[in-house]
Amino acid sequence: MKRVVLAGSISVMIVTLWSAPARAGFLDKLMDQVQQTTEDRARRKVDEAIDRSIDKAQDKVTNPSPEGPKETGEEPRQAEEPVARPKANRPASVKEPAGEAPAATKPAVTESPIGQSEAASKEKPSPLVDAGKDFTPGTRVIAELTFERDMIGNFPRGLKLKSGNAEVAMVGKTRMLRATSFGEFVIPLPDVLPIRFTMEFDFMGPGGWDQSIRFDDRSDGYAVEFDPWRGGIRGPNNAEFLSETTAPPKNGTFPVQIMADGSYVKVYMNGVRVANAPTAMIGRSREIRVQMKADRGQPAYFGHVRIAAGGRSLYQSLMETGRYTAEGILFDTNSDKIRSESAAVLKEIGDVLKAHADLNLVIEGHTDNVGTEAANKTLSERRAASVKDYLVKELKVPAARLTTQGLGSTVPVASNDTAEGRQSNRRVELVAP
């Protein structure tokens, strides 16, 4: 009986000595241990489930079912391609860090046809591209801009900024010129644009803003217009060769291509021909003016610009348009004497005539408006006759296949108010009757 009382007393003493803080610490440690044990068990179950899944997958690979896949009545599903989402219009107040494309306009940059492999360009042909297959880039490069040597945040050294704000920025892994306001920049050229030339560049920007390019110094003349919604050519008095198009992506870069042969101009956007203008007097000069329309919230991007002389071949031009400007045929001043550097162009004409025995040509002579009308007409007739004489005597072309005509200054292709325009108007054209 005494032992029982003694044991009870000891128990009471122990409970009494175990203070409240001690009890609380013990309970906390107990709960932590329970939680840790529970988590360890959950992890083990997950690991076991993963191991079972891996074993089953490996078993299917190494021991495929001899019966093949079971039919379910459904078509096999293919991996879905990402869908390009239209760009949201961002408010002008949204700021963006310098040197970096804004989130709303920062897609992966599509590759320009410049330098693109033939295999890559044929991967996904568009059903709308049929009318655009006739683009032929010029072969003699006049100017090419990639901005690779320009610092991010600076305006490119090779261009002239007339107004507005623009700077070099990174779009993906490509440097492009980013415009963040309305304005204009100029691409200087080493010489006057030739009669036949092509221009290619990549563009990304807001839709409906009608970016434009002019090839002479006239503000009321013809201009090439482009944006993700439509593109083409706008002339004075609202003469338009514009086309609505859904071909360019609404959120991403796309190539713009221009092919000019005298007053015959074609415009392509993303491989689709959007303008086919036989009477677009776009003019020629020693600079190309790009009029940009953008703001901070919706910038416009220009990249990899390539300008080259040439384009369609002589025969292709004759078959498509009925005429060809032989810009390489040159004469001494106020003379019908052909200069020696014209030999290569004359040989090309002779080769085409030999290759196509059914082709006959009218040789037209044209001048600028300096001097009297009668003198210009006489000079143009003599120059056309000199070209025929060379083809017959030197290249053995039958004379019966060639006729001549002198038109003087009556059919200009550019303004005679500038030296560049007058140079363009002094020309020889070949016409397939």
Side-chain angles (χ1 to χ4, degrees), residues 365-377 380 406-414 416 425 427:
H366 298 267
T367 68
D368 56 32
N369 68 347
V370 177
T372 66
E373 184 176 339
N376 287 330
K377 189 174 190 308
S380 65
L407 297 173
S409 61
T410 60
V411 189
V413 294
N416 280 303
N425 289 331
R427 69 197 188 279

Side-chain angles (χ1 to χ4, degrees), residues 149-160:
R149 295 185 178 181
D150 294 295
M151 292 183 61
I152 301 297
N154 284 2
F155 185 79
R157 290 171 294 176
L159 303 179
K160 296 179 181 178

Side-chain angles (χ1 to χ4, degrees), residues 53-89:
S53 299
I54 293 174
D55 291 341
K56 288 181 180 180
Q58 290 177 340
D59 183 62
K60 288 182 179 180
V61 173
T62 55
N63 300 296
S65 172
E67 299 177 358
K70 295 182 179 180
E71 294 185 2
T72 61
E74 297 181 359
E75 293 291 333
R77 297 184 62 186
Q78 297 179 348
E80 296 182 357
E81 296 183 357
V83 178
R85 301 184 182 276
K87 182 183 68 175
N89 288 328

Side-chain angles (χ1 to χ4, degrees), residues 210-216 218-226 231-236 239-242 258 265 267 275 277 280-283 289-291:
D210 293 336
Q211 317 292 334
S212 62
I213 294 177
R214 296 181 184 273
F215 299 96
D216 57 19
R218 297 180 58 187
S219 58
D220 60 344
Y222 284 85
V224 173
E225 294 189 352
F226 57 95
I233 302 170
R234 187 185 299 277
E240 294 185 0
F241 303 93
L242 295 168
I258 303 165
V265 184
V267 181
M281 307 289 287
I282 61 173
R289 298 158 50 204
V290 181
Q291 295 173 332

Side-chain angles (χ1 to χ4, degrees), residues 19 21 55 60 73 108 111 127 143 153 178 183 203 214 257 290 346 362 365 367 386 419-420:
S19 63
D55 291 341
K60 288 182 179 180
E111 187 179 2
R178 176 177 61 190
F203 176 75
R214 296 181 184 273
Q257 299 160 314
V290 181
L346 290 166
V362 176
T367 68
S386 292
E420 293 82 5

